[in-house]
Amino acid sequence: MYGHEFKELRLEQGITQKEACKGICSESKLSRWENDQIEVAFSTAMRLLNRIHITSHEFMGWSKFSPQPETDKEVTEAWHKEEIPLIKHVAKKQLDKYHQSKNPFDLLSTVALFNQLVILENHNYLPEIDQIKLANIFSKVAIWSEYYLALFGSSIFLLAPKQVYGISKLILKDVSRITEANTTYDLEVMLGVLGDATIKLILSNDIKHATSLIKEIKKIELPHYMMFFTLTFNYLDKIANYVTTKNEQPILNLINTMVQIGCPIQAEIYLDVFKQVKNNLDRKTRS
């Protein structure tokens, strides 16, 4: 029952019941819905929301009934604390649960912890057979919703470069559905995830697939207010080129430009990515 939340949003905008329901339903029906006495058909609710200038995505986001991902509390706590012994303990416990249940969602519920361990310790503790199973789960995703995008984003450093590239291509095949979802949020999530995928490929020295992925991403038509992502992928293109040419000046020039135009935080992020790539190259050269 969420009619009362509709009522609050309607009243805040000074819209009367008569104005809200005209041509959609009777005032008495709207009144009963707003007082949580009845439910209305989904199509009716969508039309009423449109009448008060609220999208369904906005309404669900503001509603206390907004669905939340079903994440184990222990997993969430371990991930936020960033304490390696705790993360290892909970990750193993959750993985054992998956091995017993064989339920793919039990595997998906723990991958963020293993991914976090890669970032913190630079070591992949997820067994290879489970890495393959994880990649297989993503390869069978039919609709790249926010749920699956976020899960892939939390798994990128667990997967082999070839797997990351292949899954990223599957996401790009579904880009029209994502962009037509009547919200920019899923598009932002998708671009953020593909950005991480590109960084993974660059750090793995898979420049061929990194540049191919960037090329495909640049074909996506973005709203003008999302040009930040265009800049980011242009930057990643320069990073990929640096791995081949060892010419760091274009990267440093762009970072300096970001500072000059008043974007120090983004400049710091770009610099951090560059340092990771450079350190990775140095390690490979020494070995």
Side-chain angles (χ1 to χ4, degrees), residues 95-110:
L95 189 62
D96 289 342
K97 178 182 177 182
Y98 162 66
H99 288 158
Q100 291 176 7
S101 70
K102 304 300 181 182
N103 185 334
F105 290 102
D106 287 334
L107 177 60
L108 292 174
S109 71
T110 190

Side-chain angles (χ1 to χ4, degrees), residues 69 71 75-76 79-80 87 91 107-119 124 126 131 134-135 138 144-159 164 167-168 171 185 189-190 192-197 200:
T71 305
V75 172
T76 303
W79 192 87
H80 284 294
I87 294 175
L107 177 60
L108 292 174
S109 71
T110 190
V111 290
L113 294 181
F114 283 98
N115 198 68
Q116 186 82 332
L117 287 171
V118 175
I119 296 171
N124 192 347
L126 186 67
Q131 295 175 34
L134 179 62
F138 287 128
W144 282 94
S145 62
E146 178 190 332
Y147 172 79
Y148 283 111
L149 288 170
L151 282 174
F152 175 55
S154 299
S155 312
I156 284 174
F157 293 102
L158 299 173
L159 301 170
V164 169
I167 295 166
S168 297
I171 293 173
Y185 183 71
V189 173
M190 181 197 75
V193 167
L194 292 178
D196 287 345
K200 161 72 176 185

